[in-house]
Amino acid sequence: MSESGTRTLPTALPDPADADNVAYDPSLDRLREFSSNLETTTEFGSPSYVSDERSRNADKTKNAVDDDFDASDYARIEDAVEHASEAEMVCVDRRMGRHPDHSYVCRLYVSKEYARIALAWAKLFEPVSGDADPDFVTVQVPEYDETAIRILPEEGVTAVLGSDYTGEAKKSFLRLFMYYAKKQGGLGLHAGSKRVTLQHDDDGDLDEVGQLFLGLSATGKSTLTAHGLWLDDPEEATMLQDDVCALLPDGTVAGSEGNGLYVKTIGLDADEQPAMYDAVTDESAVLENVDVADDGTVDFDSDRHTSNGRAVISRECLSSAGEDIDLDSVDQVFFITRNPTMPPVAKLSPEEAAAAFMLGESIQTSAGDPSKAGESIRVVGTNPFILGSKGEEGNRFRDLVADLDVDCFVINTGHLGERSTDVGVAESVTILREIARGTVVWRNDETLGLTIPAEVPGMDIEEFYVPDHVEDFEREQERMRTERRAHLSTFEDLDDEIEDAVY
């Protein structure tokens, strides 16, 4: 680990290489064997599991930076450590990230009977070469008698108690990845990253455009990050990261997951998402909470277990994924929203972009709180895993995109008004491709108070003029601006210039 320094981990944690109760770094096949009694084998030959918990427990998560951490919270961490010292466990080490200044050794302890969690998690990150002490440690005890997630960010320790959801293990490490990016002067982002290679000149020279996509789960982040933009060789669009990365002060974007992706499967369609479908239906995938019949038949349209069905897929099986996970430089940032009063795309100033970052407007998804799926929601940075001051995150974002001269946009992947017009994948992809090419003609719209396209090659953008689709648009827009100003005023550390940039 580069900048985070040496931290003291709980001394009671066993040395996994010497502990009799710990199966240390077993093979993926062995981890699957440990969980064979819980597996339904799919028609593709991949393992499928059903967990008791079907989403993250945000309301039962506390960290020692933002929350009042009392003796009972430390006691829960000690309970997890004691369990890891006495019960049958599996322990897996993996490396998160490849960037020379932002790479960490991660150690996951999981109760052996839940080795399927370690199997899925281990497929996301890369093996550790040589002997290395862990930078971050998570102990997951699903059989604990209450649900509690407790985090000691400075010590790099997370206890996941009472949850058997794989997403808790994954995010326990990515949460700290983002936290230490901020400590290094950068910013951790719940974002996908993409490199677009385009032929701009008649002489055949190729230019590269780096893109980031910020959005809550199930808003189209994975779809847009992985999409090939219908480019023909030698042009191409390459997915680097799907979920979490770090924007660093020099403009590089550090990736986190080197081996796999943890993707939503509900509604997965072979025709609309062929690359993703191929990866999810490969035998190397691990399915979680997907409807799989006893004979192995998979139904991606069914929400029998949950609408938050997931699959861990291999990057090698995703045709749009590149070998790299780091982006040399970022040129464009897109905030994904599903606010029906927003246009298909708008271009933002650094202050407006920081306001969009702080507003984090979207629709609640089943990955967060399934009981509220479909409701409007605001999450700073569309990132539920921020540690520390959220206002300072907005200031840092504004400073970074301004210093690095990054173009920022808000893109609506939902519908306009009362579902009168959908902004589909075809429209969003056309917009992304033409913005990357630099062919979009922009205009300032006084009614919207935003800079929107006047022309988009290959698309009749006038059909998507949002005031034409929202009844009494001006009143609705004023209501939204009032709500946005009130929301931004709640962040004490946020600069006034960002509050004043509300659109």
Side-chain angles (χ1 to χ4, degrees):
M1 185 176 60
S2 57
E3 299 292 332
S4 55
T6 302
R7 284 176 266 106
T8 302
L9 300 176
T11 56
L13 277 170
D15 180 344
D18 297 329
D20 293 335
N21 67 310
V22 178
Y24 181 46
D25 264 342
S27 68
L28 297 176
D29 288 340
R30 191 73 175 130
L31 287 170
R32 184 173 177 178
E33 287 177 15
F34 290 156
S35 298
S36 59
N37 62 315
L38 302 173
E39 174 184 327
T40 299
T41 305
T42 72
E43 60 190 292
F44 316 115
S46 57
S48 176
Y49 308 98
V50 177
S51 61
D52 292 327
E53 296 289 323
R54 310 287 165 84
S55 62
R56 298 184 308 272
N57 285 276
D59 60 335
K60 297 176 182 177
T61 301
K62 293 176 66 177
N63 72 80
V65 172
D66 300 306
D67 302 304
D68 292 330
F69 227 67
D70 59 23
S72 66
D73 298 308
Y74 286 101
R76 286 177 173 85
I77 293 173
E78 290 303 320
D79 285 349
V81 171
E82 182 178 356
H83 185 90
S85 303
E86 298 175 352
E88 279 197 289
M89 307 291 289
V90 295
C91 178
V92 180
D93 287 349
R94 285 294 185 268
R95 180 168 293 280
M96 178 172 53
R98 300 178 191 165
H99 194 282
D101 296 325
H102 206 54
S103 174
Y104 305 90
V105 174
C106 302
R107 175 167 292 173
L108 174 67
Y109 289 90
V110 181
S111 301
K112 189 176 181 180
E113 63 182 293
Y114 294 92
R116 62 171 177 79
I117 298 172
L119 170 66
W121 177 82
K123 284 175 169 277
L124 294 171
F125 302 101
E126 295 174 296
V128 177
S129 58
D131 295 329
D133 292 330
D135 299 305
F136 305 140
V137 175
T138 293
V139 182
Q140 187 159 0
V141 185
E143 65 269 36
Y144 197 73
D145 58 7
E146 69 169 307
T147 301
I149 293 87
R150 297 294 182 265
I151 308 143
L152 297 175
E154 296 300 330
E155 292 79 7
V157 174
T158 302
V160 177
L161 302 171
S163 173
D164 64 340
Y165 180 55
T166 300
E168 294 285 12
K170 167 187 160 79
K171 287 302 184 184
S172 71
F173 295 103
L174 294 177
R175 182 187 287 115
L176 295 175
F177 179 90
M178 292 188 281
Y179 179 66
Y180 280 90
K182 185 162 55 175
K183 290 171 71 72
Q184 295 173 22
L187 197 62
L189 299 172
H190 183 218
S193 61
K194 182 174 196 165
R195 182 176 58 232
V196 185
T197 304
L198 298 169
Q199 194 165 9
H200 283 294
D201 303 322
D202 293 336
D203 58 11
D205 288 345
L206 297 174
D207 294 331
E208 291 186 352
V209 178
Q211 295 181 331
L212 294 181
F213 299 88
L214 282 73
L216 289 177
S217 299
T219 57
K221 177 164 59 69
S222 295
T223 298
L224 297 184
T225 304
H227 202 286
L229 302 184
W230 296 311
L231 297 172
D232 296 320
D233 188 66
E235 296 185 325
E236 62 178 353
T238 305
M239 189 278 295
L240 303 181
Q241 285 289 275
D242 169 69
D243 193 26
V244 166
C245 50
L247 176 58
L248 302 179
D250 64 357
T252 60
V253 180
S256 57
E257 296 167 294
N259 264 5
L261 297 81
Y262 187 56
V263 300
K264 292 264 290 186
T265 58
I266 190 73
L268 185 65
D269 185 274
D271 294 327
E272 288 194 2
Q273 300 162 282
M276 192 71 72
Y277 185 88
D278 288 345
V280 170
T281 56
D282 189 85
E283 65 179 357
S284 64
V286 177
L287 274 59
E288 182 179 51
N289 300 324
V290 178
D291 188 355
V292 181
D294 291 341
D295 65 358
T297 302
V298 179
D299 185 354
F300 292 121
D301 292 322
S302 169
D303 61 356
R304 179 164 71 98
H305 299 302
T306 175
S307 58
N308 190 36
R310 294 280 180 164
V312 172
I313 62 173
S314 169
R315 289 176 62 90
E316 293 180 351
C317 296
L318 186 62
S319 60
S320 60
E323 293 184 4
D324 300 328
I325 67 171
D326 297 334
L327 187 62
D328 290 338
S329 64
V330 60
D331 301 287
Q332 298 166 349
V333 172
F334 296 87
F335 295 97
I336 302 174
T337 186
R338 292 201 167 174
N339 185 330
T341 68
M342 292 300 292
V345 69
K347 189 174 184 178
L348 308 174
S349 69
E351 289 74 24
E352 288 174 331
F357 179 92
M358 294 302 300
L359 290 168
E361 292 179 345
S362 194
I363 299 297
Q364 177 68 275
T365 72
S366 52
D369 185 347
S371 68
K372 298 180 179 178
E375 297 181 10
S376 297
I377 187 175
R378 288 191 174 121
V379 179
V380 174
T382 62
N383 179 6
F385 313 102
I386 291 173
L387 299 175
S389 167
K390 293 179 173 61
E392 290 180 359
E393 294 250 338
N395 299 338
R396 177 73 58 83
F397 179 84
R398 186 269 320 277
D399 293 343
L400 285 169
V401 298
D403 291 346
L404 298 169
D405 196 24
V406 177
D407 290 330
C408 296
F409 309 85
V410 58
I411 184 167
N412 183 359
T413 60
H415 61 271
L416 308 180
E418 295 299 320
R419 297 191 176 276
S420 61
T421 300
D422 287 331
V423 184
V425 173
E427 287 79 23
S428 294
V429 167
T430 299
I431 288 168
L432 291 177
R433 183 184 63 244
E434 299 309 319
I435 287 177
R437 289 193 187 283
T439 58
V440 175
V441 178
W442 300 93
R443 68 179 180 86
N444 294 321
D445 186 275
E446 292 185 1
T447 301
L448 289 169
L450 287 167
T451 300
I452 62 172
E455 298 177 19
V456 178
M459 180 178 177
D460 185 357
I461 194 65
E462 291 185 2
E463 290 186 5
F464 296 87
Y465 186 54
V466 67
D468 294 341
H469 300 272
V470 177
E471 186 177 352
D472 201 353
F473 175 80
E474 291 188 6
R475 187 175 73 173
E476 178 64 16
Q477 182 76 338
E478 185 55 37
R479 182 188 68 80
M480 287 295 300
R481 285 174 179 161
T482 300
E483 285 188 3
R484 287 165 175 160
R485 291 190 188 99
H487 183 69
L488 293 188
S489 69
T490 64
F491 300 101
E492 295 181 359
D493 299 325
L494 188 66
D495 286 351
D496 292 342
E497 292 83 357
I498 297 173
E499 284 192 43
D500 295 339
V502 168
Y503 43 82

